[in-house]
Amino acid sequence: QQPVQSPQAVILREGEDAVINCSSSKALYSVHWYRQKHGEAPVFLMILLKGGEQKGHDKISASFNEKKQQSSLYLTASQLSYSGTYFCGTEHSGGSNYKLTFGKGTLLTVNP
Amino acid sequence: DTGVSQDPRHKITKRGQNVTFRCDPISEHNRLYWYRQTLGQGPEFLTYFQNEAQLEKSRLLSDRFSAERPKGSFSTLEIQRTEQGDSAMYLCASSLAGGPDTDTQYFGPGTRLTVL
């Protein structure tokens, strides 16, 4: 089952914050977050494992709510370089722990 | 640059022709994945190798598609008798099982296929 991402798109001014959500109808083992700029490869941001801790680096962090089968990506004090499409990829509990199922993405635009 | 390379970066072909793409993963990575991405969508899993063994193929991978990883290093994806619906970005990713960042998949730049 493909995870559902929300919102589909968001426009920010530089310095503003954003939250991107990723929800699954199936029990999750892990959630992987990627950012992809137009015409480029998806770039790995972070992975959250079931039972693991909230992760983050610089001004980007993420959480994993096992009860809700949901992950949220937090971008604070956004920079122009944060623009791109954000994808969550999910691995499901009991499934093959290697195949990622990606959402449709959230297009983030940061304007000056 | 993630260290995963793909060749060619762009391929334009006529319907019915065969095409082959190559992926070179990060050198010590033992897992290799192929995904397909169309406009406005996230990557869709196609197939997966652990070393030279192909362990899973998606139902998306019809009989016209074949993938190999003969020596557990680089991989090729061949599409026979291409159709317009095959037009997409084909992404390769690799990961190291058992390493400190197990499960982290690093993507290559992709091969954009256009079938006329």
Side-chain angles (χ1 to χ4, degrees):
Chain A
Q1 259 81 352
Q2 184 178 40
V4 176
Q5 289 188 232
S6 62
Q8 290 184 318
V10 59
I11 300 174
L12 301 174
R13 288 203 178 275
E14 205 171 1
E16 292 181 336
D17 302 340
V19 180
I20 299 171
N21 298 307
C22 174
S23 298
S24 174
S25 58
K26 292 178 64 174
L28 293 174
Y29 170 76
S30 67
V31 180
H32 304 227
W33 285 98
Y34 289 84
R35 176 173 60 215
Q36 185 177 32
K37 294 183 183 284
H38 183 69
E40 299 181 8
V43 174
F44 173 75
L45 295 176
M46 64 189 73
I47 178 174
L48 295 104
L49 301 176
K50 181 180 178 180
E53 297 175 352
Q54 180 168 336
K55 292 204 174 176
H57 55 83
D58 198 13
K59 296 183 177 68
I60 300 176
S61 63
S63 63
F64 184 5
N65 187 322
E66 292 180 40
K67 285 185 179 180
K68 292 185 177 180
Q69 301 306 323
Q70 177 178 304
S71 177
S72 296
L73 185 71
Y74 306 94
L75 301 108
T76 58
S78 59
Q79 306 168 13
L80 296 177
S81 61
Y82 286 5
S83 292
T85 302
Y86 289 77
F87 293 101
C88 66
T90 55
E91 288 181 277
H92 297 287
S93 296
S96 53
N97 288 336
Y98 48 79
K99 179 174 67 176
L100 295 180
T101 304
F102 286 91
K104 292 187 176 183
T106 295
L107 177 61
L108 178 73
T109 304
V110 181
N111 292 320
Chain B
D1 184 359
T2 62
V4 179
S5 61
Q6 292 187 245
D7 185 70
R9 296 291 306 276
H10 303 273
K11 179 70 176 179
I12 299 174
T13 191
K14 293 183 178 179
R15 190 176 54 188
Q17 297 293 305
N18 300 341
V19 294
T20 300
F21 311 140
R22 176 179 170 125
C23 170
D24 286 89
I26 294 171
S27 60
E28 66 270 22
H29 282 188
N30 49 9
R31 290 180 176 167
L32 187 147
Y33 315 78
W34 286 98
Y35 291 85
R36 180 171 67 187
Q37 186 176 27
T38 54
L39 198 62
Q41 300 292 321
E44 293 176 291
F45 173 82
L46 293 179
T47 190
Y48 151 75
F49 290 85
Q50 174 132 342
N51 300 312
E52 66 274 10
Q54 187 174 19
L55 298 185
E56 185 170 341
K57 291 172 61 173
S58 165
R59 284 172 291 180
L60 293 173
L61 220 62
S62 74
D63 292 344
R64 297 184 297 106
F65 288 72
S66 62
E68 293 183 342
R69 194 182 184 199
K71 296 183 180 179
S73 56
F74 72 92
S75 175
T76 58
L77 178 68
E78 180 183 16
I79 309 174
Q80 296 183 328
R81 306 181 302 282
T82 52
E83 302 172 356
Q84 288 184 326
D86 297 332
S87 294
M89 175 76 85
Y90 289 83
L91 292 164
C92 174
S94 70
S95 69
L96 177 62
D101 62 349
T102 290
D103 294 332
T104 299
Q105 296 183 24
Y106 296 93
F107 281 85
T111 294
R112 181 165 296 284
L113 173 66
T114 303
V115 181
L116 301 176

PDB file of all heavy atoms in Angstrom, chain B residues 27 33 39-40 51 53 67 96 105:
ATOM      1  N   SER B  27      30.788   0.795  -4.344  1.00  0.00           N
ATOM      2  CA  SER B  27      31.581  -0.416  -4.543  1.00  0.00           C
ATOM      3  C   SER B  27      31.361  -1.516  -3.501  1.00  0.00           C
ATOM      4  O   SER B  27      31.293  -2.682  -3.841  1.00  0.00           O
ATOM      5  CB  SER B  27      33.068  -0.068  -4.624  1.00  0.00           C
ATOM      6  OG  SER B  27      33.475   0.555  -3.428  1.00  0.00           O
ATOM      7  N   TYR B  33      18.987  -2.154  -6.211  1.00  0.00           N
ATOM      8  CA  TYR B  33      17.551  -2.049  -6.486  1.00  0.00           C
ATOM      9  C   TYR B  33      17.335  -1.270  -7.779  1.00  0.00           C
ATOM     10  O   TYR B  33      18.079  -0.347  -8.089  1.00  0.00           O
ATOM     11  CB  TYR B  33      16.844  -1.271  -5.362  1.00  0.00           C
ATOM     12  CG  TYR B  33      17.230  -1.657  -3.961  1.00  0.00           C
ATOM     13  CD1 TYR B  33      18.418  -1.207  -3.401  1.00  0.00           C
ATOM     14  CD2 TYR B  33      16.399  -2.455  -3.175  1.00  0.00           C
ATOM     15  CE1 TYR B  33      18.794  -1.546  -2.107  1.00  0.00           C
ATOM     16  CE2 TYR B  33      16.758  -2.793  -1.869  1.00  0.00           C
ATOM     17  CZ  TYR B  33      17.949  -2.334  -1.350  1.00  0.00           C
ATOM     18  OH  TYR B  33      18.316  -2.661  -0.073  1.00  0.00           O
ATOM     19  N   LEU B  39       6.344  11.000 -14.079  1.00  0.00           N
ATOM     20  CA  LEU B  39       6.137  12.390 -13.679  1.00  0.00           C
ATOM     21  C   LEU B  39       5.071  12.507 -12.601  1.00  0.00           C
ATOM     22  O   LEU B  39       3.976  11.944 -12.728  1.00  0.00           O
ATOM     23  CB  LEU B  39       5.737  13.209 -14.910  1.00  0.00           C
ATOM     24  CG  LEU B  39       5.894  14.717 -14.779  1.00  0.00           C
ATOM     25  CD1 LEU B  39       7.357  15.073 -14.551  1.00  0.00           C
ATOM     26  CD2 LEU B  39       5.360  15.409 -16.032  1.00  0.00           C
ATOM     27  N   GLY B  40       5.418  13.184 -11.521  1.00  0.00           N
ATOM     28  CA  GLY B  40       4.445  13.424 -10.464  1.00  0.00           C
ATOM     29  C   GLY B  40       4.248  12.262  -9.503  1.00  0.00           C
ATOM     30  O   GLY B  40       3.363  12.310  -8.649  1.00  0.00           O
ATOM     31  N   ASN B  51      23.813  -9.379  -3.682  1.00  0.00           N
ATOM     32  CA  ASN B  51      24.945  -9.878  -4.453  1.00  0.00           C
ATOM     33  C   ASN B  51      24.464 -10.173  -5.872  1.00  0.00           C
ATOM     34  O   ASN B  51      23.890  -9.293  -6.489  1.00  0.00           O
ATOM     35  CB  ASN B  51      25.558 -11.088  -3.760  1.00  0.00           C
ATOM     36  CG  ASN B  51      26.050 -10.723  -2.357  1.00  0.00           C
ATOM     37  OD1 ASN B  51      26.739  -9.721  -2.180  1.00  0.00           O
ATOM     38  ND2 ASN B  51      25.701 -11.522  -1.366  1.00  0.00           N
ATOM     39  N   ALA B  53      22.244 -12.544  -6.746  1.00  0.00           N
ATOM     40  CA  ALA B  53      20.937 -13.195  -6.755  1.00  0.00           C
ATOM     41  C   ALA B  53      19.802 -12.181  -6.828  1.00  0.00           C
ATOM     42  O   ALA B  53      19.720 -11.264  -6.009  1.00  0.00           O
ATOM     43  CB  ALA B  53      20.788 -14.048  -5.498  1.00  0.00           C
ATOM     44  N   ALA B  67      16.600  -8.163 -15.701  1.00  0.00           N
ATOM     45  CA  ALA B  67      17.699  -7.515 -15.000  1.00  0.00           C
ATOM     46  C   ALA B  67      18.713  -8.568 -14.601  1.00  0.00           C
ATOM     47  O   ALA B  67      18.353  -9.705 -14.295  1.00  0.00           O
ATOM     48  CB  ALA B  67      17.195  -6.755 -13.785  1.00  0.00           C
ATOM     49  N   LEU B  96      24.105  -1.283   1.777  1.00  0.00           N
ATOM     50  CA  LEU B  96      25.003  -2.263   2.372  1.00  0.00           C
ATOM     51  C   LEU B  96      24.276  -2.952   3.518  1.00  0.00           C
ATOM     52  O   LEU B  96      23.953  -2.310   4.526  1.00  0.00           O
ATOM     53  CB  LEU B  96      26.271  -1.582   2.891  1.00  0.00           C
ATOM     54  CG  LEU B  96      27.277  -2.492   3.608  1.00  0.00           C
ATOM     55  CD1 LEU B  96      27.802  -3.567   2.675  1.00  0.00           C
ATOM     56  CD2 LEU B  96      28.427  -1.658   4.184  1.00  0.00           C
ATOM     57  N   GLN B 105      19.179   3.372   1.359  1.00  0.00           N
ATOM     58  CA  GLN B 105      19.366   3.199  -0.079  1.00  0.00           C
ATOM     59  C   GLN B 105      19.837   4.513  -0.685  1.00  0.00           C
ATOM     60  O   GLN B 105      19.216   5.556  -0.489  1.00  0.00           O
ATOM     61  CB  GLN B 105      18.057   2.743  -0.732  1.00  0.00           C
ATOM     62  CG  GLN B 105      17.594   1.377  -0.244  1.00  0.00           C
ATOM     63  CD  GLN B 105      16.349   0.883  -0.936  1.00  0.00           C
ATOM     64  OE1 GLN B 105      16.031   1.287  -2.063  1.00  0.00           O
ATOM     65  NE2 GLN B 105      15.629  -0.015  -0.278  1.00  0.00           N
TER      66      GLN B 105
END
